[in-house]
Amino acid sequence: DGGITQSPKYLFRKEGQNVTLSCEQNLNHDAMYWYRQDPGQGLRLIYYSQIVNDFQKGDIAEGYSVSREKKESFPLTVTSAQKNPTAFYLCASKSAYEQYFGPGTRLTVT
Amino acid sequence: AQSVTQLDSQVPVFEEAPVELRCNYSSSVSVYLFWYVQYPNQGLQLLLKYLSGSTLVKGINGFEAEFNKSQTSFHLRKPSVHISDTAEYFCAVGPYNTDKLIFGTGTRLQVFP
């Protein structure tokens, strides 16, 4: 079955800790994306990557970092510099026109 | 720059009634148009898309949308909703000159028995 997997589904961390969210796809897509979703704000783009070993900042990249060492994988690290990290994080990959989304990771930082 | 406006944050409706979720966009370049649905604590699923051609687009679960270029709108409709249609719906535009999507803030459709 082709698709996007994100793990874990729920993640809890203490303030001041870095945390890495996993995103894997087996759709053979070149482009991958990370979004943050907060109630009433829709989806906001954090980072995206159009090809292996290359990525660009989105609209809210501060406090986040990514890597793209393999086509299938696009992990997101939420650093301690992110002031308000509690949110629902969605990963996506893109075919010719449309984006396909993973199930999301809900991160809670206390 | 592009922007997407979903005019209603919440739409309550009774089961079997028709529904329209409104979406307007602004863009200086041509765009592709999308509607996605999100069930609680899940990712987004594509309902339908407009790329070119016929302005009336049919999607999954009985939904359809009409692209109106002069009004820069892409409203989503369903003639008869079910309880299972209760979800959040997002309109998005994809400019021709970029790989990015710009999303609206979403409309929560609540279907009551």
Side-chain angles (χ1 to χ4, degrees):
Chain A
D1 245 347
I4 300 175
T5 56
Q6 292 186 243
S7 60
K9 188 161 181 67
Y10 298 95
L11 192 51
F12 298 88
R13 281 294 183 271
K14 295 286 188 189
E15 202 173 308
Q17 293 179 335
N18 291 358
V19 58
T20 297
L21 282 59
S22 166
C23 176
E24 304 278 332
Q25 54 102 357
N26 60 5
L27 300 168
N28 201 34
H29 291 163
D30 287 315
M32 295 186 73
Y33 304 78
W34 273 106
Y35 294 92
R36 171 182 171 134
Q37 185 177 19
D38 297 282
Q41 295 195 46
L43 276 70
R44 293 183 290 169
L45 183 63
I46 305 172
Y47 268 97
Y48 65 106
S49 168
Q50 293 172 298
I51 199 166
V52 174
N53 292 322
D54 188 43
F55 47 83
Q56 288 81 40
K57 292 181 179 180
D59 302 316
I60 56 164
E62 186 176 346
Y64 300 98
S65 66
V66 293
S67 63
R68 186 85 187 277
E69 296 175 2
K70 298 187 300 182
K71 189 175 186 177
E72 302 80 24
S73 178
F74 190 40
L76 172 75
T77 296
V78 184
T79 75
S80 55
Q82 168 50 233
K83 291 178 183 164
N84 193 13
T86 294
F88 190 52
Y89 290 87
L90 287 160
C91 178
S93 68
K94 182 176 177 287
S95 66
Y97 301 106
E98 66 206 59
Q99 292 188 16
Y100 296 81
F101 285 81
T105 291
R106 186 166 297 280
L107 173 65
T108 303
V109 177
T110 57
Chain B
Q2 294 80 31
S3 65
V4 178
T5 302
Q6 292 185 243
L7 296 158
D8 305 298
S9 60
Q10 295 188 62
V11 173
V13 63
F14 287 108
E15 194 173 19
E16 298 183 6
V19 71
E20 179 179 81
L21 306 184
R22 297 180 292 169
C23 174
N24 287 88
Y25 69 93
S26 170
S27 178
S28 55
V29 301
S30 296
V31 296
Y32 304 117
L33 296 153
F34 305 87
W35 275 99
Y36 284 86
V37 61
Q38 184 182 35
Y39 300 101
N41 289 312
Q42 294 187 26
L44 275 65
Q45 179 184 6
L46 183 69
L47 270 180
L48 48 79
K49 61 182 182 278
Y50 173 79
L51 303 180
S52 65
S54 172
T55 56
L56 183 62
V57 180
K58 293 192 183 298
I60 62 171
N61 300 343
F63 284 93
E64 64 181 32
E66 185 153 22
F67 170 50
N68 187 318
K69 189 173 182 178
S70 62
Q71 297 188 8
T72 59
S73 68
F74 191 52
H75 301 334
L76 181 71
R77 302 187 186 101
K78 186 169 183 179
S80 175
V81 295
H82 302 128
I83 296 284
S84 59
D85 292 323
T86 294
E88 186 114 26
Y89 292 79
F90 291 94
C91 180
V93 301
Y96 280 15
N97 60 353
T98 175
D99 276 337
K100 296 192 282 187
L101 286 182
I102 295 92
F103 286 86
T105 51
T107 296
R108 176 163 171 74
L109 176 64
Q110 182 80 46
V111 182
F112 295 95

